[in-house]
């Protein structure tokens, strides 16, 4: 859409960009909180909780109505029988993450899926027992990984390797991952990193990481909580063994909603992989014979446990309809321009207190910019909140500002930078 050298200062540029933005109408498909002046808040927090799709009550009420009027028969009758509800969601979700439909299923919540995936894909031996994790991973991921290591009787002090930047930036270079795998690869059972780091906003080269980790005999899992719906992904081709993500951040499916799960098709037929089983993972065509021995469905659904909460799925369906209309490639194109513009304007402010810790190359980041505030960060964060900006604050000194291409505009980026400048003075 644009490259860095073409950005311009002044509101005229933002107005012009909004006029030619093919996705500008999608803003109307979301509810946005209001500021005290009655205008929309500048909502730069879609990395934490996405806005509510304006039509979300339609599919939700449809489920409630079906439950009210059909009760148990709603499983098989009505406009969208609950038995097959996931069939409308999985194909769109699969396109979003670049996977085959059979490789993707929506189930459980994110951390639950991480545990289930580690039951199957972290099977440590005396010789190969380590897990390589992201620099400063999301706390839940660390707790999950450490508890799995302990569950298998290993000591996290020996078994947990955390990536570390080797300079005073927050950026991890591929060579560092390469070096660790070169040195300790034979002892690493699982490489488990975020697609986009939640703190720094760094996007990792997922295909290359998978390739070098597989070359060393390690299995690979990605937490895509900050990547799904944010950047274009090609999970099938990149080839990790599993991936997981939530649907309430960039995917706008509502607070705490279910998680997406990817298992590469190379594992689908392999019934020797240990897993924690439940009846909804049973082979579909014989599930209701209610036999004693577990026979998994031979795709990612074979890892699910329970019959799904349809009201929650209705929220995901509403979101998927919007993504299907917008298209991930168009979203990404706008996102690169929007975030590049934000970076451009913040650099123009040129204030000694602010540094951007997110990588500067568009291919190494998604929507989010993490701003390190050397002094008075928390006060600054509160000041911009009073001026009608919702971003988010991460201890000890980072404001994450995330313009989202589905519902944020170039003019909002412009106003954000003006508010930031005024609050800094
Ligand atoms: C948001 C997020 C989570 C949250 O996990 P839940 O189980 O959905 O509460 C976990 N990991 C990462 C990387 C996240 O960004």
């Amino acid at each position: 859409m644009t490259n860095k050298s073409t950005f311009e200062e002044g509101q005229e540029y933002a107005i012009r960009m909004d006029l030619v933005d093919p996705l500008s109408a999608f803003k109307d498909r979301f509810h946005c909180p209001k500021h005290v002046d009655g205008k929309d808040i500048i909502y730069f927090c879609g990395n934490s909780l996405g806005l509510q799709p304006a039509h979300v009550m339609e599919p939700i009420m449809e489920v409630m109505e079906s439950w009210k009027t059909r009760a148990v028969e709603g499983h098989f009758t009505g406009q969208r029988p609950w038995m097959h509800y996931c069939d409308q969601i999985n194909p769109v979700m699969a396109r979003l993450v670049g996977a085959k439909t059979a490789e993707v299923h929506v189930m459980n919540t994110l951390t639950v899926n991480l545990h289930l995936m580690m039951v199957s894909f972290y099977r440590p031996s005396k010789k190969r027992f380590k897990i390589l994790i992201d620099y400063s991973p999301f706390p839940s991921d660390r707790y999950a990984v450490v508890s799995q290591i302990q569950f298998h009787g290993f000591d996290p002090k020996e078994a947990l390797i955390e990536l570390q930047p080797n300079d005073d930036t927050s950026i991890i270079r591929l060579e560092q991952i390469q070096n660790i795998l070169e040195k300790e690869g034979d002892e690493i059972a699982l490489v488990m990193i975020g697609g986009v780091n939640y703190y720094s906003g760094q996007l990792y080269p997922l295909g290359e990481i998978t390739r070098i980790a597989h070359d060393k005999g390690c299995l690979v899992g990605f937490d895509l909580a900050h990547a799904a719906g944010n950047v274009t992904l090609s999970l099938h081709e990149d080839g990790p063994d599993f991936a997981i993500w939530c649907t309430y951040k960039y995917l706008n499916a509502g607070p705490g909603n279910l998680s997406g799960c990817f298992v590469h098709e190379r594992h689908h037929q392999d019934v020797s992989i240990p897993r924690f089983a439940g009846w909804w993972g049973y082979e579909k065509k014989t599930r209701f014979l209610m036999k004693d021995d577990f026979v998994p469905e031979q795709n990612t659904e074979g890892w699910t446990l329970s019959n799904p909460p349809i009201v929650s799925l209705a929220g995901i369906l509403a979101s998927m309809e919007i993504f299907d209309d917008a298209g991930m490639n168009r979203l990404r194109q706008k996102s690169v321009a929007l975030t590049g513009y934000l970076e451009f304007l913040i650099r123009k402010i040129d204030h000694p207190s602010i540094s951007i810790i997110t990588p500067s190359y568009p291919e190494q980041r998604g929507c989010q910019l993490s701003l390190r505030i050397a002094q008075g960060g928390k006060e600054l964060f509160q000041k911009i909140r009073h001026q009608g900006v919702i971003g988010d604050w991460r201890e000890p000194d980072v404001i994450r500002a995330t313009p989202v291409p589905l519902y944020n505009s170039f003019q909002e980026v412009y106003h954000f930078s003006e508010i930031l400048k005024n609050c800094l003075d």
Side-chain angles (χ1 to χ4, degrees):
M1 199 168 185
T2 181
N3 66 46
K4 285 184 189 194
S5 56
T6 65
F7 297 124
E8 294 166 24
E9 288 178 86
Q11 193 174 359
E12 285 307 305
Y13 175 79
I15 293 170
R16 230 165 49 228
M17 289 301 285
D18 284 336
L19 277 175
V20 297
D21 169 14
L23 299 176
S24 59
F26 280 86
K27 193 177 188 53
D28 298 334
R29 294 175 69 171
F30 291 91
H31 290 297
C32 188
K34 302 289 177 213
H35 189 44
V36 283
D37 61 8
K39 292 202 194 117
D40 280 359
I41 287 269
I42 296 178
Y43 192 76
F44 278 8
C45 206
N47 58 317
S48 182
L49 182 72
L51 292 180
Q52 182 181 117
H55 75 297
V56 73
M57 289 309 280
E58 290 170 27
I60 289 177
M61 285 316 291
E62 184 190 298
V63 175
M64 300 310 272
E65 193 59 27
S66 193
W67 178 25
K68 183 168 133 189
T69 58
R70 300 169 197 275
V72 72
E73 292 180 340
H75 282 299
F76 304 101
T77 62
Q79 197 185 340
R80 288 186 253 256
W82 308 329
M83 274 305 288
H84 311 292
Y85 210 92
C86 282
D87 295 348
Q88 304 162 81
I89 292 172
N90 290 348
V92 191
M93 193 65 99
R95 278 198 289 284
L96 266 183
V97 296
K100 297 186 176 181
T101 299
E103 290 175 315
V104 165
H105 196 66
V106 173
M107 60 196 200
N108 310 309
T109 45
L110 174 57
T111 309
V112 173
N113 281 341
L114 177 54
H115 276 296
L116 292 179
M117 289 295 103
M118 284 195 284
V119 165
S120 290
F121 300 108
Y122 174 55
R123 305 193 301 273
S125 65
K126 278 218 150 53
K127 190 171 164 298
R128 193 188 277 277
F129 59 95
K130 296 182 178 176
I131 303 182
L132 175 63
I133 59 166
D134 205 356
Y135 165 58
S136 190
F138 195 86
S140 196
D141 298 37
R142 183 196 298 277
Y143 306 147
V145 165
V146 166
S147 64
Q148 286 276 340
I149 288 171
Q150 290 167 330
F151 175 76
H152 286 284
F154 293 93
D155 180 356
K157 281 202 205 68
E158 274 179 72
L160 187 70
I161 313 169
E162 184 174 338
L163 289 168
Q164 288 296 337
N166 56 10
D167 47 26
D168 60 0
T169 71
S170 302
I171 297 170
I172 302 292
R173 283 161 228 292
L174 185 62
E175 300 87 77
Q176 287 166 260
I177 301 176
Q178 235 153 359
N179 289 342
I180 292 172
L181 285 165
E182 212 48 62
K183 256 198 292 189
E184 297 180 72
D186 295 343
E187 297 180 345
I188 295 174
L190 177 66
V191 173
M192 216 310 282
I193 64 168
V196 173
N197 181 285
Y198 87 103
Y199 195 82
S200 70
Q202 178 177 4
L203 165 62
Y204 290 103
L206 302 184
E208 275 164 280
I209 291 173
T210 304
R211 191 172 46 73
I212 58 179
H214 278 170
D215 281 351
K216 281 287 169 186
C218 320
L219 293 179
V220 178
F222 293 126
D223 185 333
L224 303 177
H226 282 263
N230 176 13
V231 294
T232 43
L233 295 162
S234 21
L235 283 182
H236 176 74
E237 208 179 296
D238 288 349
D241 299 281
F242 72 86
I244 49 176
W245 58 93
C246 54
T247 57
Y248 49 82
K249 291 173 180 165
Y250 293 99
L251 295 183
N252 314 311
N257 210 331
L258 301 172
S259 158
C261 185
F262 164 93
V263 177
H264 197 277
E265 71 176 354
R266 77 175 77 89
H267 298 299
H268 290 184
Q269 320 287 313
D270 185 354
V271 291
S272 73
I273 296 176
R275 73 181 87 192
F276 286 171
W279 76 312
W280 224 252
Y282 201 95
E283 183 188 56
K284 263 186 183 156
K285 63 178 195 287
T286 53
R287 184 186 290 156
F288 288 93
L289 300 179
M290 306 290 205
K291 298 269 202 209
D292 286 346
D293 292 330
F294 180 74
V295 179
E297 177 78 4
Q298 292 193 357
N299 57 34
T300 301
E301 194 173 357
W303 271 266
T304 196
L305 303 180
S306 302
N307 83 99
I310 305 296
V311 177
S312 301
L313 287 180
I316 300 178
L317 181 68
S319 153
M320 290 298 103
E321 286 167 351
I322 296 177
F323 271 93
D324 220 16
D325 292 346
M328 204 51 230
N329 285 331
R330 286 203 301 172
L331 285 169
R332 177 63 173 153
Q333 222 181 6
K334 176 176 170 187
S335 169
V336 167
L338 210 54
T339 297
Y341 179 49
L342 176 62
E343 181 189 26
F344 169 82
L345 293 177
I346 291 172
R347 291 203 192 286
K348 287 286 174 202
I349 296 174
D350 193 25
H351 194 281
S353 273
I354 295 195
S355 53
I356 300 174
I357 64 172
T358 308
S360 195
Y361 297 106
E363 59 277 15
Q364 291 179 12
R365 69 184 182 202
C367 307
Q368 171 188 332
L369 288 186
S370 300
L371 315 179
R372 175 158 285 148
I373 315 297
Q375 259 171 358
K378 199 146 195 188
E379 293 73 47
L380 177 64
F381 178 70
Q382 275 149 7
K383 273 195 206 163
I384 63 173
R385 176 66 188 86
H386 286 303
Q387 299 297 315
V389 171
I390 296 186
D392 94 352
W393 171 252
R394 289 289 129 176
E395 294 292 346
D397 55 5
V398 165
I399 294 175
R400 297 186 300 179
T402 305
V404 169
L406 261 178
Y407 48 71
N408 288 129
S409 65
F410 288 86
Q411 286 180 79
E412 284 176 312
V413 170
Y414 176 79
H415 291 309
F416 172 87
S417 76
E418 289 294 294
I419 289 170
L420 191 65
K421 187 159 58 183
N422 292 336
C423 290
L424 278 162
D425 287 343

